[in-house]
Amino acid sequence: MSSNSYSLSLLAHPPVAKKQPHPLTTHQLTRTDNYYWMRDDERENKDVLAHLNAENDYCDEQLADIKPLREQLFNELKDRIVKDDNTVPVKDGQYWYHSEVRGDDEYARHYRSSSIEARDKHLLLDVNQLAGDYEFYELGEVAISPDEQLLAYSEDTEGRRIYTVRFKNIASGEMFSDVLENTEGQVVWANDNKTVFYVKKDLQTLLGFQVYRHVLGTPQADDVLVYEEQDKSFFMGLGKSRDESLIIIDLATTETNDTWVLDANNPEGEFSALMPREEGHEFDVDKLGDTFYIVTNWQAKNFRLMTATQSTIADKNRWQEHTPHRENVLLEGVEIFNDYLILTERELGQTRFVVVDQQAGRLTLEFDDPCYYAAIAMNPEPNVSSARIYYSSLTTPGSLYDVDLKTGNKTLLKQQQVLGDFNPEHYRSERLMVTARDGEQVPVSLVYRIDQFNKDGSNPLLQYGYGAYGITIDPSFSSSSLSLLDRGFVYAIAHIRGGEMLGRHWYEQGKKQYKQNSFSDFIDVTHALTEQGYAHPEKVFASGGSAGGLLMGAVVNQAPELYLGIGCHVPFLDVLTTMLDESIPLTTNEYDEWGNPNDPAFYDVIQAYSPYDNIKPQAYPNILVTTGFHDSQVQYWEPMKWVAKLRELKTDDNILVFKTDMDAGHGGASGRFKSLEEKALEMAFFIALLSNKGLDK
């Protein structure tokens, strides 16, 4: 550990929020929310802005003494990044596409060329130029017309995930006058090269619920509504089939999918349902030639692969089974090629790829690390005999491979370069199984620097978790984490219930009425890691964001004594109030995840763990809270209220600081370097807390 000492002594006068009792009555039960006034949908309330600014000032003042450490860490993170870098070109149609970053540029430039060598590269978009003076900028989707002459791209300049679509002539560089506002960000071209389809958002709920048809050269006001979803529990997306014959509307709740299609050669036609909507039927469908491929949970909790034709797709009973359901194997997806399929499967938490040769059988691609992340990379061309896959582990930087689909032989195309003295042999990763209180085995992925680690309970630990929506947080390489590992930290990912690490049942046992399992798993992992000597019980930190921020909020209510410090980012904390208010963005989409508290049974379930509702007079850890003022996923007032109530009720003198990025949304700051400041802030906070306690030796 570093011998430097850092001061984080508590300042005397943190901001104190005014209390305005606001009764909330449901099912004849009344809660009083003293900080309900902090909600301002327009984000113009002077009292709200004043309090957020006061919290930001307090945070800056409280952390002023560790500013040199933050700057040191930021420079460490930045100095590991290759300033001049480019992606490996990928062929799509006649051209090869790649992007480049140079020097201190925050954003990439996108190019295309006539060959993989990119000698005649042509600039498509300079995102640095597009970002201009915006404090926040995100490039959404880039879509090339079928004749490869035109380009559509979407952009978000506020962080609210409300995208504007613009159009460009690639050869001349001329911008079209067409501008599509308030979209979901996806643009799909019809095959006539002049018609596009896009999803429009409800600006109150931020729900994409309408599909419009736009013809180039006409005003958006003339666009035609071609589909509207009445059920507000569905998310909506747009795509195109693998063979580009169909334009596809994807509709999805947490537990149900629906798909509508249109002949891409007939943009004036009408969308039709591919099959009847059936509650509880989850599936993903694609088409190549005459065959539909359906990854479905129909009579298959862990999914199976079925095939159908145009005449049989609407009737599940006429589908043909391609890959059967297996109790211990989760089928996550399929990539379709003319002569091959690649199945992505997961068993005992580990991903593998099964290459199916339509003529010669199957071969399996597996990897050697004890825990890792692997995914199918971009493969836009179906008529190929090789495919690209991406691989990374806690000790292996991101690597792009070309895989021969007949032999399985892998050729490394590029591996992320880490500047400085990084050597993967200096680090070791492990996969553990921790026994939870109910007997379930919880997977844990962890990494440490070998010469900084002793399995004697002396190391500090940063434990991360998420545990929601069936999202699996696979262990992948992070050059940022090296700054902690090199200072003796163990970094662990707790693969708690609510994700799909161990299959569909792992998700189902961490949602709705079983949500408490997510929190208990995380706490039990902390106990196990300290008991097994991976960490000192007084040097434990935890971090999570969004639904992982909910995890942090619940854990500090239930087991605050386990953690020295907590990082809680864009956190979902006021679960009960939010899920009772359909005007709040995305609430109705979440009923299948958390339960609908308009049902008394789910009201009780959510009230029992909702972090905001369960704050009580007790000692809490040191806590760093961050959010974005324009967050579209979790509104800024949730952490704002939570911090105010914590300040009111907590009995300790530990540090509680709250930082709001007034220009950012749910994803935090934009740009490849600016976002590192947030990581450096959390790391400095944790390191300084060790120093404060005299535990940094």
Coordinates of all heavy atoms in Angstrom, one line a residue, residues 67-128:
K67 N -7.8 16.2 -3.6 CA -7.7 16.6 -5.0 C -6.4 16.1 -5.7 O -6.4 15.6 -6.8 CB -7.9 18.1 -5.2 CG -8.0 18.5 -6.6 CD -8.4 20.0 -6.7 CE -8.5 20.4 -8.2 NZ -8.8 21.9 -8.3
P68 N -5.3 16.3 -5.0 CA -4.0 15.8 -5.6 C -4.1 14.3 -5.9 O -3.6 13.8 -7.0 CB -2.9 16.1 -4.6 CG -3.5 17.2 -3.8 CD -5.0 17.0 -3.7
L69 N -4.7 13.5 -5.0 CA -4.8 12.1 -5.3 C -5.7 11.8 -6.5 O -5.4 10.9 -7.3 CB -5.3 11.4 -4.0 CG -5.6 9.9 -4.1 CD1 -4.4 9.1 -4.5 CD2 -6.2 9.3 -2.8
R70 N -6.8 12.5 -6.6 CA -7.7 12.4 -7.7 C -7.0 12.6 -9.0 O -7.2 11.9 -10.0 CB -8.9 13.3 -7.5 CG -9.9 12.9 -6.4 CD -10.9 13.9 -6.2 NE -11.7 14.3 -7.4 CZ -12.7 15.2 -7.4 NH1 -12.9 15.9 -6.3 NH2 -13.4 15.4 -8.5
E71 N -6.2 13.7 -9.0 CA -5.5 14.1 -10.2 C -4.4 13.0 -10.5 O -4.2 12.7 -11.7 CB -4.8 15.5 -10.0 CG -5.8 16.6 -10.0 CD -5.2 17.9 -9.7 OE1 -4.0 18.0 -9.4 OE2 -5.9 19.0 -9.8
Q72 N -3.8 12.5 -9.5 CA -2.8 11.4 -9.7 C -3.5 10.2 -10.4 O -3.0 9.6 -11.3 CB -2.1 11.1 -8.4 CG -1.2 9.9 -8.5 CD -0.7 9.4 -7.2 OE1 -0.8 10.1 -6.2 NE2 -0.1 8.2 -7.1
L73 N -4.6 9.8 -9.8 CA -5.3 8.7 -10.3 C -5.8 8.9 -11.7 O -5.7 8.0 -12.6 CB -6.5 8.3 -9.4 CG -6.0 7.7 -8.1 CD1 -7.2 7.7 -7.1 CD2 -5.6 6.2 -8.3
F74 N -6.4 10.1 -12.0 CA -6.9 10.4 -13.3 C -5.7 10.3 -14.3 O -5.9 9.7 -15.4 CB -7.4 11.8 -13.3 CG -7.8 12.3 -14.7 CD1 -8.9 11.9 -15.3 CD2 -7.0 13.2 -15.4 CE1 -9.3 12.3 -16.6 CE2 -7.3 13.7 -16.7 CZ -8.5 13.2 -17.3
N75 N -4.6 10.8 -14.0 CA -3.4 10.8 -14.9 C -3.0 9.3 -15.1 O -2.6 8.9 -16.2 CB -2.3 11.6 -14.4 CG -2.6 13.1 -14.5 OD1 -3.2 13.5 -15.5 ND2 -2.1 13.9 -13.6
E76 N -3.0 8.5 -14.0 CA -2.7 7.1 -14.2 C -3.6 6.4 -15.2 O -3.2 5.7 -16.1 CB -2.8 6.4 -12.8 CG -1.7 6.6 -11.9 CD -1.9 5.8 -10.6 OE1 -2.6 4.8 -10.6 OE2 -1.3 6.2 -9.6
L77 N -4.9 6.7 -15.0 CA -5.9 6.1 -15.9 C -5.7 6.5 -17.3 O -5.8 5.7 -18.3 CB -7.3 6.4 -15.4 CG -7.7 6.1 -14.0 CD1 -9.2 6.3 -13.8 CD2 -7.4 4.6 -13.6
K78 N -5.5 7.8 -17.5 CA -5.4 8.4 -18.8 C -4.1 7.9 -19.5 O -4.1 7.6 -20.7 CB -5.4 9.9 -18.7 CG -5.4 10.6 -20.1 CD -5.5 12.1 -19.9 CE -5.5 12.8 -21.3 NZ -5.7 14.3 -21.1
D79 N -3.0 7.8 -18.7 CA -1.7 7.4 -19.3 C -1.7 6.0 -19.7 O -0.7 5.6 -20.4 CB -0.6 7.7 -18.3 CG -0.4 9.2 -18.1 OD1 -0.9 10.0 -18.9 OD2 0.3 9.6 -17.1
R80 N -2.6 5.1 -19.3 CA -2.7 3.8 -19.8 C -3.4 3.6 -21.1 O -3.3 2.6 -21.8 CB -3.4 2.9 -18.8 CG -2.7 2.7 -17.4 CD -3.2 1.6 -16.6 NE -2.7 1.6 -15.3 CZ -3.3 2.1 -14.2 NH1 -4.6 2.5 -14.3 NH2 -2.7 2.1 -13.0
I81 N -4.0 4.7 -21.5 CA -4.8 4.6 -22.8 C -4.0 5.1 -24.0 O -3.3 6.1 -23.9 CB -6.1 5.5 -22.6 CG1 -7.0 5.0 -21.5 CG2 -6.8 5.6 -24.0 CD1 -8.2 5.9 -21.3
V82 N -4.0 4.3 -25.0 CA -3.3 4.7 -26.3 C -4.0 5.9 -26.9 O -5.2 5.8 -27.1 CB -3.3 3.5 -27.2 CG1 -2.6 3.9 -28.6 CG2 -2.5 2.3 -26.6
K83 N -3.3 7.0 -27.1 CA -4.0 8.2 -27.6 C -4.3 8.0 -29.0 O -5.4 8.5 -29.5 CB -3.1 9.4 -27.3 CG -3.0 9.8 -25.9 CD -2.3 11.1 -25.7 CE -2.4 11.6 -24.3 NZ -1.8 13.0 -24.1
D84 N -3.4 7.4 -29.8 CA -3.7 7.2 -31.2 C -4.1 5.8 -31.4 O -3.2 4.9 -31.3 CB -2.5 7.6 -32.1 CG -2.1 9.1 -32.0 OD1 -3.0 9.9 -31.6 OD2 -1.0 9.4 -32.3
D85 N -5.3 5.5 -31.7 CA -5.8 4.2 -31.8 C -6.9 4.0 -32.9 O -7.5 5.0 -33.4 CB -6.4 3.7 -30.5 CG -6.4 2.2 -30.3 OD1 -5.9 1.5 -31.2 OD2 -6.9 1.7 -29.3
N86 N -7.1 2.8 -33.3 CA -8.2 2.6 -34.4 C -8.8 1.2 -34.2 O -8.1 0.3 -33.6 CB -7.6 2.7 -35.8 CG -6.5 1.8 -36.0 OD1 -5.3 2.1 -35.7 ND2 -6.8 0.6 -36.6
T87 N -10.0 1.0 -34.7 CA -10.6 -0.3 -34.6 C -10.2 -1.1 -35.9 O -9.7 -0.5 -36.8 CB -12.1 -0.1 -34.6 OG1 -12.6 0.5 -35.8 CG2 -12.6 0.7 -33.4
V88 N -10.3 -2.4 -35.8 CA -10.1 -3.2 -37.0 C -11.2 -3.0 -38.0 O -12.4 -3.2 -37.6 CB -9.9 -4.7 -36.5 CG1 -9.7 -5.6 -37.7 CG2 -8.9 -4.9 -35.5
P89 N -10.8 -2.7 -39.2 CA -11.9 -2.6 -40.2 C -12.8 -3.8 -40.4 O -12.3 -4.9 -40.3 CB -11.1 -2.3 -41.5 CG -9.8 -1.7 -41.1 CD -9.5 -2.4 -39.8
V90 N -14.1 -3.5 -40.6 CA -15.0 -4.6 -40.8 C -15.8 -4.4 -42.1 O -16.2 -3.3 -42.4 CB -16.0 -4.7 -39.6 CG1 -16.8 -3.4 -39.4 CG2 -17.0 -5.9 -39.7
K91 N -15.9 -5.4 -42.8 CA -16.6 -5.3 -44.2 C -18.1 -5.4 -44.1 O -18.6 -6.3 -43.4 CB -16.0 -6.4 -45.1 CG -16.4 -6.2 -46.6 CD -15.7 -7.2 -47.5 CE -16.0 -6.9 -48.9 NZ -17.4 -7.1 -49.3
D92 N -18.7 -4.5 -44.7 CA -20.2 -4.5 -44.8 C -20.5 -4.0 -46.2 O -20.4 -2.8 -46.5 CB -20.8 -3.6 -43.7 CG -22.3 -3.6 -43.6 OD1 -22.9 -4.4 -44.4 OD2 -22.9 -2.9 -42.8
G93 N -21.0 -4.9 -47.0 CA -21.3 -4.5 -48.4 C -20.0 -4.4 -49.2 O -19.1 -5.2 -49.1
Q94 N -19.9 -3.3 -49.9 CA -18.7 -3.1 -50.7 C -17.5 -2.5 -50.0 O -16.4 -2.5 -50.4 CB -19.0 -2.1 -51.9 CG -20.0 -2.6 -52.9 CD -20.2 -1.6 -54.0 OE1 -19.3 -1.3 -54.8 NE2 -21.4 -0.9 -54.0
Y95 N -17.8 -2.0 -48.7 CA -16.8 -1.2 -48.0 C -16.3 -1.8 -46.7 O -17.0 -2.6 -46.1 CB -17.3 0.2 -47.8 CG -17.6 1.0 -49.1 CD1 -18.9 1.0 -49.6 CD2 -16.6 1.7 -49.7 CE1 -19.1 1.7 -50.8 CE2 -16.8 2.4 -50.9 CZ -18.1 2.4 -51.4 OH -18.4 3.1 -52.6
W96 N -15.2 -1.3 -46.2 CA -14.7 -1.6 -44.9 C -14.8 -0.4 -44.0 O -14.4 0.7 -44.4 CB -13.2 -2.0 -45.0 CG -13.0 -3.3 -45.8 CD1 -13.0 -3.4 -47.2 CD2 -12.8 -4.6 -45.3 NE1 -12.8 -4.7 -47.5 CE2 -12.6 -5.5 -46.4 CE3 -12.7 -5.1 -44.0 CZ2 -12.4 -6.8 -46.2 CZ3 -12.4 -6.5 -43.8 CH2 -12.3 -7.3 -44.9
Y97 N -15.3 -0.6 -42.8 CA -15.6 0.5 -41.9 C -14.7 0.4 -40.7 O -14.5 -0.7 -40.1 CB -17.1 0.5 -41.5 CG -18.0 0.8 -42.7 CD1 -18.4 -0.2 -43.5 CD2 -18.5 2.1 -42.9 CE1 -19.3 0.0 -44.6 CE2 -19.4 2.3 -43.9 CZ -19.7 1.3 -44.8 OH -20.6 1.6 -45.9
H98 N -14.2 1.6 -40.2 CA -13.4 1.6 -39.0 C -13.5 3.0 -38.4 O -14.0 3.9 -39.0 CB -12.0 1.2 -39.2 CG -11.1 2.2 -39.8 ND1 -11.2 2.5 -41.2 CD2 -10.2 3.0 -39.3 CE1 -10.3 3.5 -41.4 NE2 -9.7 3.8 -40.3
S99 N -13.0 3.1 -37.1 CA -13.0 4.4 -36.5 C -11.6 4.6 -35.9 O -10.8 3.7 -35.7 CB -14.0 4.5 -35.4 OG -13.8 3.6 -34.4
E100 N -11.2 5.9 -35.7 CA -9.9 6.3 -35.2 C -10.1 7.3 -34.1 O -11.0 8.1 -34.2 CB -9.0 6.8 -36.3 CG -8.8 5.9 -37.4 CD -7.9 6.5 -38.5 OE1 -7.5 7.7 -38.4 OE2 -7.6 5.8 -39.5
V101 N -9.2 7.3 -33.1 CA -9.1 8.4 -32.1 C -7.6 8.9 -32.2 O -6.7 8.1 -32.4 CB -9.5 8.0 -30.7 CG1 -11.0 7.8 -30.6 CG2 -8.7 6.7 -30.3
R102 N -7.4 10.2 -32.0 CA -6.1 10.8 -32.0 C -5.9 11.7 -30.9 O -6.8 12.5 -30.5 CB -6.0 11.5 -33.4 CG -6.0 10.6 -34.6 CD -4.7 9.8 -34.7 NE -4.6 8.9 -35.8 CZ -5.0 7.6 -35.7 NH1 -5.3 7.1 -34.6 NH2 -4.9 6.8 -36.8
G103 N -4.7 11.7 -30.4 CA -4.2 12.6 -29.4 C -5.2 12.7 -28.2 O -5.6 11.7 -27.6
D104 N -5.5 13.9 -27.8 CA -6.4 14.1 -26.7 C -7.9 14.2 -27.1 O -8.7 14.7 -26.3 CB -6.0 15.4 -25.9 CG -4.7 15.2 -25.2 OD1 -4.4 14.1 -24.7 OD2 -3.9 16.2 -25.1
D105 N -8.2 13.8 -28.3 CA -9.6 13.9 -28.7 C -10.4 13.0 -27.8 O -10.1 11.9 -27.5 CB -9.7 13.4 -30.1 CG -9.2 14.4 -31.2 OD1 -9.0 15.5 -30.8 OD2 -9.0 14.0 -32.3
E106 N -11.6 13.5 -27.4 CA -12.5 12.8 -26.6 C -13.3 11.8 -27.4 O -13.8 10.8 -26.9 CB -13.5 13.7 -25.9 CG -12.9 14.6 -24.9 CD -12.7 13.9 -23.5 OE1 -13.0 12.7 -23.4 OE2 -12.2 14.6 -22.6
Y107 N -13.5 12.0 -28.7 CA -14.4 11.2 -29.5 C -13.6 10.7 -30.8 O -12.6 11.1 -31.1 CB -15.6 12.0 -29.9 CG -16.4 12.6 -28.8 CD1 -16.2 13.9 -28.4 CD2 -17.3 11.8 -28.1 CE1 -16.9 14.5 -27.3 CE2 -18.0 12.3 -27.0 CZ -17.8 13.7 -26.6 OH -18.5 14.2 -25.6
A108 N -14.3 9.8 -31.5 CA -13.7 9.1 -32.6 C -14.1 9.8 -33.9 O -15.1 10.6 -34.0 CB -14.2 7.6 -32.7
R109 N -13.3 9.5 -35.0 CA -13.7 9.8 -36.3 C -14.0 8.5 -37.0 O -13.3 7.5 -36.9 CB -12.5 10.5 -37.0 CG -12.3 11.9 -36.5 CD -11.0 12.5 -37.1 NE -10.8 13.8 -36.7 CZ -10.2 14.1 -35.5 NH1 -9.7 13.2 -34.7 NH2 -10.0 15.4 -35.1
H110 N -15.1 8.4 -37.8 CA -15.5 7.2 -38.5 C -15.2 7.3 -40.0 O -15.5 8.3 -40.6 CB -17.0 7.0 -38.3 CG -17.4 6.8 -36.8 ND1 -17.5 5.5 -36.3 CD2 -17.6 7.7 -35.8 CE1 -17.8 5.7 -35.0 NE2 -17.8 6.9 -34.7
Y111 N -14.7 6.2 -40.5 CA -14.2 6.2 -41.9 C -14.8 4.9 -42.6 O -15.2 3.9 -42.0 CB -12.7 6.1 -42.0 CG -12.0 7.3 -41.4 CD1 -11.6 7.3 -40.1 CD2 -11.7 8.4 -42.2 CE1 -10.9 8.4 -39.6 CE2 -11.0 9.5 -41.7 CZ -10.6 9.5 -40.4 OH -9.9 10.6 -39.9
R112 N -14.7 5.0 -43.9 CA -14.8 3.7 -44.7 C -13.8 3.7 -45.8 O -13.3 4.8 -46.3 CB -16.3 3.6 -45.2 CG -16.6 4.4 -46.4 CD -18.0 4.0 -46.9 NE -18.4 4.7 -48.1 CZ -19.6 4.6 -48.7 NH1 -20.6 3.9 -48.1 NH2 -19.9 5.3 -49.8
S113 N -13.5 2.5 -46.3 CA -12.5 2.3 -47.3 C -12.9 1.2 -48.3 O -13.8 0.5 -48.0 CB -11.1 2.0 -46.7 OG -10.8 2.8 -45.6
S114 N -12.1 1.1 -49.3 CA -12.4 0.0 -50.3 C -11.7 -1.3 -50.0 O -12.0 -2.3 -50.6 CB -12.1 0.5 -51.7 OG -10.7 0.8 -51.8
S115 N -10.8 -1.2 -49.0 CA -10.0 -2.4 -48.6 C -9.7 -2.4 -47.2 O -9.8 -1.3 -46.5 CB -8.7 -2.5 -49.4 OG -7.8 -1.5 -49.0
I116 N -9.3 -3.5 -46.6 CA -9.0 -3.6 -45.2 C -7.8 -2.8 -44.8 O -7.6 -2.4 -43.7 CB -8.8 -5.1 -44.8 CG1 -8.8 -5.2 -43.2 CG2 -7.6 -5.7 -45.4 CD1 -8.9 -6.7 -42.7
E117 N -7.0 -2.5 -45.8 CA -5.8 -1.7 -45.5 C -6.1 -0.2 -45.3 O -5.3 0.5 -44.7 CB -4.8 -1.8 -46.6 CG -4.1 -3.2 -46.8 CD -5.0 -4.2 -47.5 OE1 -6.0 -3.8 -48.1 OE2 -4.7 -5.4 -47.4
A118 N -7.3 0.2 -45.7 CA -7.8 1.5 -45.5 C -6.9 2.6 -46.0 O -6.8 3.7 -45.5 CB -8.0 1.8 -44.0
R119 N -6.3 2.4 -47.2 CA -5.4 3.4 -47.8 C -6.2 4.5 -48.4 O -5.7 5.7 -48.4 CB -4.5 2.7 -48.9 CG -3.6 1.7 -48.3 CD -2.6 1.3 -49.4 NE -1.7 0.2 -48.9 CZ -2.0 -1.1 -49.2 NH1 -3.1 -1.4 -49.9 NH2 -1.2 -2.1 -48.8
D120 N -7.4 4.3 -48.8 CA -8.2 5.3 -49.4 C -9.4 5.7 -48.5 O -10.5 6.0 -48.9 CB -8.8 4.9 -50.8 CG -9.7 3.6 -50.7 OD1 -9.6 3.0 -49.6 OD2 -10.4 3.3 -51.6
K121 N -9.1 5.7 -47.2 CA -10.2 6.0 -46.2 C -10.9 7.3 -46.5 O -10.3 8.3 -46.8 CB -9.7 5.9 -44.8 CG -8.7 7.0 -44.4 CD -8.1 6.8 -43.0 CE -7.1 8.0 -42.7 NZ -6.5 7.8 -41.3
H122 N -12.2 7.3 -46.3 CA -13.1 8.4 -46.5 C -13.8 8.8 -45.2 O -14.4 7.9 -44.6 CB -14.1 8.1 -47.6 CG -15.1 9.2 -47.9 ND1 -14.8 10.3 -48.7 CD2 -16.3 9.5 -47.4 CE1 -15.8 11.1 -48.8 NE2 -16.8 10.7 -48.0
L123 N -13.7 10.0 -44.8 CA -14.3 10.4 -43.5 C -15.8 10.4 -43.6 O -16.4 11.1 -44.5 CB -13.8 11.8 -43.1 CG -14.3 12.3 -41.8 CD1 -13.9 11.5 -40.6 CD2 -13.9 13.8 -41.6
L124 N -16.5 9.7 -42.7 CA -17.9 9.7 -42.7 C -18.4 10.7 -41.7 O -19.2 11.6 -42.0 CB -18.4 8.3 -42.3 CG -18.1 7.2 -43.3 CD1 -18.6 5.8 -42.7 CD2 -18.7 7.4 -44.7
L125 N -17.9 10.6 -40.4 CA -18.3 11.5 -39.3 C -17.1 11.8 -38.4 O -16.4 10.9 -38.1 CB -19.4 10.9 -38.5 CG -20.8 10.6 -39.1 CD1 -21.7 9.8 -38.2 CD2 -21.4 11.9 -39.5
D126 N -16.9 13.0 -38.1 CA -16.0 13.4 -37.1 C -16.8 13.8 -35.8 O -17.4 14.9 -35.7 CB -15.1 14.6 -37.5 CG -14.1 15.1 -36.5 OD1 -14.2 14.6 -35.3 OD2 -13.2 15.9 -36.9
V127 N -16.8 12.9 -34.8 CA -17.7 13.1 -33.7 C -17.1 14.3 -32.8 O -17.9 14.9 -32.2 CB -17.8 11.8 -32.9 CG1 -18.8 12.0 -31.7 CG2 -18.2 10.6 -33.8
N128 N -15.8 14.5 -32.9 CA -15.3 15.7 -32.1 C -15.9 17.0 -32.7 O -16.3 17.9 -31.9 CB -13.8 15.7 -32.3 CG -13.1 14.5 -31.7 OD1 -13.0 14.4 -30.5 ND2 -12.7 13.6 -32.5

